Amino acid sequence: MPSSLHVIGHQQPDTDTICSALAYARLKQAQGVDATPARAGEVNPETQFVLDRWDTESPSLLDDAAGEQLILVDHNEYSQAVSGAHDATIVEVVDHHRIGDIETSDPIYFRNEPVGSTATILTQLYEEANKTIDAQTAGLLLSGLLSDTVVLRSPTTTDQDRSIADHLADIAGVDIEKYGKELLQQKSKIGEKSPRE
Amino acid sequence: MPSSLHVIGHQQPDTDTICSALAYARLKQAQGVDATPARAGEVNPETQFVLDRWDTESPSLLDDAAGEQLILVDHNEYSQAVSGAHDATIVEVVDHHRIGDIETSDPIYFRNEPVGSTATILTQLYEEANKTIDAQTAGLLLSGLLSDTVVLRSPTTTDQDRSIADHLADIAGVDIEKYGKELLQQKSKIGEKSPRE
Ligand SMILES: [Mn+2]
Ligand SMILES: [Mn+2]
Ligand SMILES: [Mn+2]
Ligand SMILES: [Mn+2]
């Protein structure tokens, strides 16, 4: 089987990881690159709420990345990556964390910025590529941004996050505080599941 | 002595490394950040020609980076970095090579692109920051770009390099082929020095 190009976030995916995989795969497709969104684990309740709210299918589970081509979003260390990542080819990284242990043999696009979410950076990448963000994609990106920054209240929140959140909320047609509140209610449900479930 | 912020390229500096350190330090200064250009070794004859041609002083030599803050340009591995880099704080990276072994404890700006020169990326950073590139800085950036791409003839040359070279040549007021020829003549002098010199 020939290798495919997957856009994938970290294990134990959060909303920023899933929404970034979806949004970046869409940007790649808009640029004529055959990339599919993937996930490295189960979708949590907050993220499921977001997917339902924006009428979007979950990325499919990639359980072994060996031999595949990967665009990593929202992480840049092997310990957090999908299983098999060591035997995959990392072709791009977009993230907002400390610089980890990814090394490559060829030059690749690696974009890490000290901002509140990967979604923030992806919004800029859409702009730099002159590609329109539709309402659905804006809703997903906004969800990743608001989830990671606790509705712009976390100490990691930058001015860039704030102005990009405004822009995304405009396109998505939601009110940041109102939608953020709904999201936080879902967040509080994470961990509520009993071990039996 | 409090630590200072240095913009610095690799050991055995080439024209892209020196010109990128100069141009990025200028951008940082234009953004109100107190950054100074530095070098990790002797300036080669090609680069000296470029500095003379664009009436620019060489960055000063940093012989021990321990305890300092570093913005790395044109490299992203410790083996190529200024001595003491392991005991410095890496606060940013802008490069066009394979991803190396730099790890950080905090999120930083890390921008690597598979293009012909670091100067190509820096030209984009000026544009993204909405800062004007003056003729002198354009001349330096063009020199880094043309040196690394062997006047746009190396297999690493991308369409982006070509269009950015045109843009820089316009600002600098030079003809790419004519200036490139002068530069290549200097390049051929590298290694001509006898060991006695
Ligand atoms: Mn995450
Ligand atoms: Mn994140
Ligand atoms: Mn170099
Ligand atoms: Mn270079």
Side-chain angles (χ1 to χ4, degrees):
Chain A
M1 212 176 71
S3 76
S4 307
L5 177 59
H6 310 268
V7 186
I8 191 163
H10 53 76
Q11 289 174 34
Q12 302 185 22
D14 55 23
T15 298
D16 190 36
T17 257
I18 295 287
C19 293
S20 292
L22 289 163
Y24 201 28
R26 287 177 185 186
L27 175 56
K28 286 286 166 189
Q29 287 157 15
Q31 295 177 306
V33 176
D34 188 19
T36 49
R39 60 182 164 86
E42 291 312 305
V43 168
N44 73 36
E46 181 200 79
T47 307
Q48 192 57 58
F49 161 83
V50 167
L51 293 171
D52 293 343
R53 171 67 181 80
W54 299 100
D55 201 14
T56 301
E57 245 183 274
S58 167
S60 48
L61 182 69
L62 184 65
D63 50 19
D64 181 9
E68 302 294 309
Q69 296 190 63
L70 303 181
I71 293 177
L72 304 186
V73 290
D74 202 38
H75 70 304
N76 78 99
E77 354 202 345
Y78 284 112
S79 65
Q80 299 173 1
V82 58
S83 107
H86 264 293
D87 302 309
T89 308
I90 314 275
V91 298
E92 264 192 55
V93 176
V94 179
D95 190 21
H96 66 125
H97 293 96
R98 74 179 200 96
I99 305 303
D101 60 355
I102 304 293
E103 295 192 32
T104 63
S105 37
D106 293 313
I108 64 166
Y109 189 81
F110 191 117
R111 176 101 166 229
N112 197 86
E113 296 190 27
V115 294
S117 72
T118 299
T120 307
I121 306 167
L122 289 176
T123 305
Q124 289 169 248
L125 295 190
Y126 267 87
E127 281 167 19
E128 289 169 19
N130 269 312
K131 296 288 175 192
T132 327
I133 301 177
D134 61 33
Q136 191 191 50
T137 305
L140 295 171
L141 286 167
L142 181 65
S143 304
L145 198 169
L146 295 182
S147 171
D148 264 23
T149 61
V150 196
V151 193
L152 307 175
R153 285 169 179 75
S154 76
T156 56
T157 309
T158 65
D159 286 344
Q160 213 173 350
D161 295 305
R162 275 179 278 268
S163 85
I164 283 177
D166 284 341
H167 177 56
L168 291 171
D170 274 354
I171 303 173
V174 296
D175 176 82
I176 288 179
E177 286 304 320
K178 191 158 164 280
Y179 179 63
K181 203 170 171 179
E182 285 181 69
L183 204 60
L184 289 189
Q185 278 163 1
Q186 302 298 325
K187 205 180 200 68
S188 67
K189 286 185 193 163
I190 302 176
E192 265 182 20
K193 281 184 167 181
S194 77
R196 278 169 304 149
E197 281 182 272
Chain B
M1 213 176 70
S3 75
S4 309
L5 177 58
H6 310 268
V7 186
I8 191 164
H10 52 78
Q11 290 174 34
Q12 301 185 21
D14 55 23
T15 299
D16 190 36
T17 257
I18 295 287
C19 292
S20 292
L22 288 164
Y24 201 28
R26 287 177 185 185
L27 175 56
K28 286 287 168 190
Q29 286 158 14
Q31 294 177 308
V33 176
D34 187 17
T36 49
R39 60 183 164 87
E42 291 312 305
V43 168
N44 73 36
E46 182 199 79
T47 308
Q48 191 57 57
F49 162 82
V50 167
L51 293 172
D52 292 344
R53 170 67 180 78
W54 299 100
D55 201 14
T56 302
E57 244 183 276
S58 167
S60 49
L61 182 71
L62 184 65
D63 50 19
D64 182 7
E68 302 294 309
Q69 295 190 62
L70 303 181
I71 294 177
L72 304 186
V73 290
D74 202 37
H75 70 303
N76 79 97
E77 354 201 346
Y78 284 112
S79 65
Q80 299 173 0
V82 58
S83 109
H86 264 294
D87 302 309
T89 308
I90 314 278
V91 297
E92 262 191 58
V93 176
V94 179
D95 189 21
H96 66 125
H97 294 95
R98 76 181 199 95
I99 305 303
D101 59 356
I102 304 293
E103 296 193 31
T104 62
S105 37
D106 293 313
I108 64 166
Y109 189 81
F110 191 117
R111 175 102 166 230
N112 197 85
E113 295 189 28
V115 293
S117 72
T118 300
T120 307
I121 306 166
L122 289 177
T123 306
Q124 290 168 248
L125 295 190
Y126 267 88
E127 280 166 19
E128 289 170 19
N130 268 313
K131 294 290 175 191
T132 326
I133 301 177
D134 59 34
Q136 191 191 51
T137 305
L140 295 171
L141 286 167
L142 180 65
S143 304
L145 198 170
L146 295 181
S147 170
D148 264 22
T149 61
V150 196
V151 191
L152 307 174
R153 284 169 180 76
S154 76
T156 56
T157 310
T158 66
D159 286 345
Q160 214 172 351
D161 295 304
R162 275 179 278 268
S163 87
I164 283 177
D166 283 342
H167 178 56
L168 291 171
D170 274 355
I171 304 173
V174 296
D175 176 81
I176 289 179
E177 287 304 322
K178 191 159 166 279
Y179 180 63
K181 205 169 170 180
E182 286 180 69
L183 204 60
L184 288 189
Q185 277 164 0
Q186 303 300 324
K187 205 182 199 65
S188 66
K189 288 187 194 165
I190 302 174
E192 264 183 20
K193 281 183 169 185
S194 77
R196 277 170 304 149
E197 280 182 271

